[in-house]
Amino acid sequence: MSATPASNTPHLKATDDNPIQQIRQLVQCGGTMYAVGTFTSIIKGSTTYTRNNIFSFSATAPYTVTSWAPNVVGSGGSTNDPSDTLNTIAFANGNCADAYIGGKFTSVNGTTVQNLAEIDTTTGNVVAAFGSKASGAVQTILGVGNHLLVGGNFPGVNGDTADPYMVSLSPVTGKSDGFLHLNISGNYNYPGVATNSTRVFNQQLSHGGTLDLVEGDFTSVGGVQREQIFMLNVGGSTATVTGWTSPEFDGSNPSYPYQCFTGEPFYIQAAAWSPDDSTVYLDTTGYHPNGYPVGQTPRTGLCDAAAAFPATQTSVLHEWVNYMGCDSLYAIAADSQAVYIAGHERFASNPNDCDALGPGGYNAPGMAGLDPVTGNLYVTADNSAGYYSRDRGVGADDMLLTSAGLWIASDNLNASQMCGGVQNLSGICFLPYNS
């Protein structure tokens, strides 16, 4: 993957103004990219486009912004409320004519909805046949065959409370199709821990299409103990929880430092599959293990780190861990050449210090590439720093690998705009594969 990004992609305005604007997710359907988040305008070249939390553009150069401009509005009646946002967008069965969006919002193009909607990708209007009411914020939507797997903070969707926090919906009606019944419950409790609520936050489908990794705040899923992340088998007539787990994060063996800092109890917020689905890659927030001195080195546990685990459907232990030195990671992607990690980290391969560069560590601000076999950092030719870099901001929130390269979604905190040394890339950076 090139470390030098395309220089002419659409982007947010680089500004110190509040509220912070953010791209939360990027997806591709056909030849079009779709972006959702919290923003009121998009810049392309010398043109500024009014766009309220959602827009689309060509997936190939010159990355032209389309005329599609749904007006997605939150409970305050204004897109300037940072608590109102679009978190996720998905498509089903390769149908690019309709998109499914989720987040915290109350209307689309003047039609009242609640946190969930199907919208036309030509007009932006709500598709009325699809039920559009989730009783809490929707965090993630994933199309799996003829199912929409929807997760979030909600007790129920469209009046059905049988499957809180994660439900499988019909792409046609928005009603539960009975594909999964997980009875998700519990949250993280230990001395001094900050308030945290049960929720499903993120998910990633395997390349083979039969397994789904799901991250969130829970302690029981499908009648078995699971914390931080679980693996679903979605290849049958009903989704089932697999045996994949680890005492390093699931609480089954307290001798492992499986809890992080009290202020960050939910710490595995993103995962990725290796191209052959044999390995699961995780990256984390969490600062440091709970109960351990902040500055204790070398680092231990999984807090503020990237790690590789076998995808074997049993209890497993890590293959490697790479520590960021007490900075958070929020996004991860992998191909055959590298595991790409991103957040608001300053360092990588830095197990010997916290909030500073320790012996043997490297400066690697904003993103990094790791060897998928060893976890070692890819560095510059002079061995002075990480090969990849970007402005840190709040932190890259999503990464999408396509056949063309790596898309990175981020924000404009502190006027963040640099990626790989190129400016005017606030919120969206695209690293193409080397030809």
Side-chain angles (χ1 to χ4, degrees), residues 25 87-88 138-142 149-152 200-203:
Q25 188 178 28
N87 297 318
T88 184
V138 172
Q139 300 288 352
T140 174
I141 305 174
L142 179 67
L149 304 189
V150 180
V200 165
F201 182 75
N202 204 356
Q203 58 183 324

Side-chain angles (χ1 to χ4, degrees), residues 97-182:
D98 298 285
Y100 301 89
I101 58 173
K104 184 182 178 186
F105 56 97
T106 57
S107 72
V108 180
N109 283 358
T111 298
T112 298
V113 295
Q114 186 175 342
N115 305 325
L116 176 70
E118 178 184 1
I119 58 175
D120 188 295
T121 56
T122 299
T123 66
N125 293 333
V126 170
V127 178
F130 183 84
S132 300
K133 186 176 182 180
S135 57
V138 172
Q139 300 288 352
T140 174
I141 305 174
L142 179 67
V144 178
N146 199 36
H147 311 285
L148 290 175
L149 304 189
V150 180
N153 305 58
F154 51 80
V157 173
N158 295 318
D160 185 348
T161 59
D163 298 300
Y165 313 116
M166 188 171 186
V167 63
S168 177
L169 303 179
S170 161
V172 177
T173 66
K175 301 290 186 179
S176 173
D177 59 17
F179 180 61
L180 60 79
H181 298 293
L182 299 178

Side-chain angles (χ1 to χ4, degrees), residues 217-275:
D217 193 328
F218 38 70
T219 58
S220 180
V221 182
V224 294
Q225 181 179 357
R226 291 292 184 270
E227 297 189 15
Q228 301 289 335
I229 183 171
F230 62 90
M231 183 190 293
L232 274 181
N233 184 332
V234 294
S237 58
T238 303
T240 57
V241 180
T242 74
W244 182 84
T245 187
S246 175
E248 295 186 64
F249 52 72
D250 70 7
S252 62
N253 186 341
S255 66
Y256 289 93
Y258 70 95
Q259 295 169 333
C260 289
F261 171 60
T262 54
E264 300 177 26
F266 167 42
Y267 56 88
I268 300 178
Q269 299 187 4
W273 295 89
S274 64

Side-chain angles (χ1 to χ4, degrees), residues 376-426:
N376 292 336
L377 178 71
Y378 289 128
V379 297
T380 54
D382 62 1
N383 197 41
S384 63
Y387 183 69
Y388 300 98
S389 67
R390 49 168 294 280
D391 273 357
R392 296 168 63 215
V394 174
D397 205 42
D398 182 43
M399 293 199 291
L400 174 70
L401 270 172
T402 70
S403 59
L406 179 68
W407 293 92
I408 306 160
S410 60
D411 58 87
N412 65 358
L413 176 68
N414 298 326
S416 299
Q417 63 165 317
M418 302 294 291
C419 184
V422 177
Q423 65 180 358
N424 294 325
L425 296 176
S426 182

Side-chain angles (χ1 to χ4, degrees), residues 30-112:
T32 303
M33 298 293 302
Y34 295 84
V36 297
T38 304
F39 49 87
T40 56
S41 64
I42 293 296
I43 299 172
K44 176 68 168 67
S46 60
T47 303
T48 298
Y49 300 86
T50 297
R51 295 292 186 271
N52 290 329
N53 302 323
I54 187 169
F55 80 105
S56 64
F57 60 99
S58 173
T60 56
Y63 310 108
T64 304
V65 175
T66 73
S67 60
W68 190 63
N71 185 27
V72 182
V73 177
S75 57
S78 168
T79 53
N80 290 323
D81 184 347
S83 66
D84 296 328
T85 189
L86 282 181
N87 297 318
T88 184
I89 181 169
F91 296 85
N93 292 318
N95 173 28
C96 298
D98 298 285
Y100 301 89
I101 58 173
K104 184 182 178 186
F105 56 97
T106 57
S107 72
V108 180
N109 283 358
T111 298
T112 298

